[in-house]
Amino acid sequence: MRADLEIIQEWIPAGSRVLDLGCGNGELLAWLRDHKGVTGYGLEIDPDNINECVRKGVNVIEQNVDKGLGNFASNSFDVVVMTQALQAMEYPDRILEEMLRVGRQCIITFPNFGHWRCRWYLATKGRMPVSEFLPYTWYNTPNIHFCTFEDFEALCRERNAQVLERLAVDHQHRHGWASRAWPNLLGEIGIYRLSSPQLRPEHMAV
């Protein structure tokens, strides 16, 4: 399983109900079903990924996440997951609100555009960074909302979302004391676990 998904699965309790937004080929949901008895759905729009989800026996719905989650009731899932897609959403603030409405907890991962390599590239070349981790040029990138950890945490405060856990990792999903001390400078990817302010204490355990 992908390295980021290995980290995420540790935050998802056995037997929980999970909604995976932009679930890709269903890798995470299939693993959680087989190893933790998790149930739930994946949302996806790519036909090849949908076919792969069906082949794996993953419950998948063809749905554009940017259109909202109005077909799901509030608190209908224990955990809502979105990996490496928030920055590609048209309205990431609305998506965050919907995730907090639908799920008791949320897990979100996204690239940190405040990382030192991005800053160095801009400072020395005066152009948007292009690297192995960010392989797109400015005119063909799917990332339409570039944010840093500081930006995301400011949004969480504005929406009264509580940050339960945060990992700042490199592109190989390693983390250590330096990235904990200076996450916005040294973390390439943010992995966040959030809860709604309305969440009751008994729902906080993982």
Side-chain angles (χ1 to χ4, degrees):
M1 191 162 60
R2 261 174 33 203
D4 58 334
L5 302 185
E6 286 282 2
I7 295 171
I8 287 169
Q9 65 83 16
E10 296 179 2
W11 291 351
I12 299 177
S16 57
R17 186 168 167 81
V18 175
L19 180 64
D20 189 354
L21 307 181
C23 65
N25 63 12
E27 180 181 18
L28 176 62
L29 285 172
W31 192 94
L32 291 170
R33 177 198 62 205
D34 297 341
H35 293 84
K36 287 193 166 185
V38 162
T39 59
Y41 295 91
L43 269 55
E44 182 56 53
I45 58 173
D46 181 87
D48 292 336
N49 282 335
I50 291 172
N51 289 336
E52 186 62 20
C53 286
V54 172
R55 190 189 69 78
K56 288 184 171 79
V58 169
N59 297 319
V60 62
I61 300 172
E62 184 175 3
Q63 182 170 330
N64 186 340
V65 177
D66 261 324
K67 302 299 183 183
L69 304 175
N71 50 327
F72 296 105
S74 297
N75 295 320
S76 53
F77 293 92
D78 298 303
V79 184
V80 181
V81 176
M82 175 180 279
T83 61
Q84 295 296 319
L86 185 70
Q87 73 283 355
M89 294 292 102
E90 187 174 359
Y91 301 107
D93 55 334
R94 298 180 189 176
I95 295 299
L96 177 61
E97 290 176 350
E98 280 289 86
M99 291 177 72
L100 291 167
R101 178 185 67 81
V102 168
R104 293 188 171 93
Q105 293 187 11
C106 304
I107 298 173
I108 300 176
T109 77
F110 58 91
N112 174 31
F113 290 93
H115 185 259
W116 72 265
R117 285 195 182 93
C118 294
R119 301 186 195 198
W120 176 85
Y121 206 99
L122 282 168
T124 59
K125 297 182 182 296
R127 300 176 62 183
M128 293 301 296
V130 178
S131 65
E132 181 181 354
F133 176 60
L134 296 169
Y136 305 99
T137 54
W138 67 270
Y139 53 82
N140 68 1
T141 178
N143 302 318
I144 60 176
H145 290 287
F146 301 92
C147 75
T148 69
F149 293 169
E150 294 290 345
D151 291 322
F152 181 73
E153 292 180 18
L155 176 62
C156 289
R157 289 191 294 270
E158 290 172 9
R159 298 301 188 271
N160 294 319
Q162 182 179 2
V163 177
L164 303 177
E165 292 188 71
R166 178 192 67 190
L167 283 177
V169 301
D170 64 16
H171 66 281
Q172 294 180 318
H173 295 89
R174 298 171 303 190
H175 57 94
W177 68 269
S179 61
R180 287 193 293 271
W182 301 285
N184 204 45
L185 183 65
L186 300 180
E188 292 182 71
I189 302 168
I191 306 176
Y192 282 78
R193 184 166 69 93
L194 311 173
S195 74
S196 168
Q198 289 79 29
L199 190 66
R200 296 192 297 275
E202 61 266 30
H203 292 140
M204 297 284 284
V206 294

